Amino acid sequence: MILGIGTDLANIERIEATLARFGDRFRNRVFTDIEQAKAERRADVAGTYAKRWAAKEACSKALGTGLRMGIAWKDMSVTNLASGQPVMHVTGWAKERLAAMTPAGCEAVIHVTLTDDHPWAQAFVVIEARPKASPSS
């Protein structure tokens, strides 16, 4: 069952200008240490931040709140599996919201995909409820 869908389109040049203007103040307010380390290792630093910005926006929309009602930017973060596949993590109020919207007997799974084509970065998030596996007898 689909619990929520969110998408966002971010302008890489806007994120680049924000990084130039506010630097660490912006990075530390919006991105986790892991997200910052990933972005700073990449050739396209601004593009990497823009994709994660879009993912956070998309996740907040899929949670049905947007960036209000107590969600903090760092309550949502993106890491990557060894294969490169992005994975969305939620903590704090975002995690509480996810738990509240997940039906009893189900577990929530957050799917995220990221893409960019300069000057645009896009993210799409789908939150799915799956029945919990029953313990083996």
Side-chain angles (χ1 to χ4, degrees), residues 20 24 41-42 62 78 84 118 134 136:
D24 286 342
R41 285 193 311 265
R42 303 296 298 264
V78 178
H118 196 85
S134 56
S136 304

Side-chain angles (χ1 to χ4, degrees), residues 12 50 56 77 102:
I12 296 169
K56 292 167 187 271
S77 66
T102 304

Side-chain angles (χ1 to χ4, degrees), residues 21-102:
R21 182 171 180 195
F22 297 105
D24 286 342
R25 183 173 161 212
F26 172 65
R27 282 182 197 88
N28 294 331
R29 179 172 173 247
V30 176
F31 302 101
T32 65
D33 292 342
I34 292 170
E35 290 173 313
Q36 290 180 49
K38 170 86 172 181
E40 297 299 327
R41 285 193 311 265
R42 303 296 298 264
D44 184 9
V45 173
T48 302
Y49 280 123
K51 285 186 281 189
R52 278 147 180 75
W53 171 279
K56 292 167 187 271
E57 287 274 8
C59 184
S60 71
K61 293 170 186 174
L63 288 168
T65 64
L67 284 162
R68 57 188 174 99
M69 297 176 62
I71 284 186
W73 286 104
K74 287 184 173 182
D75 284 349
M76 301 162 289
S77 66
V78 178
T79 62
N80 295 84
L81 300 177
S83 65
Q85 177 183 349
V87 178
M88 178 64 71
H89 305 275
V90 292
T91 59
W93 195 91
K95 185 175 182 177
E96 292 173 19
R97 170 69 179 149
L98 181 62
M101 62 191 284
T102 304

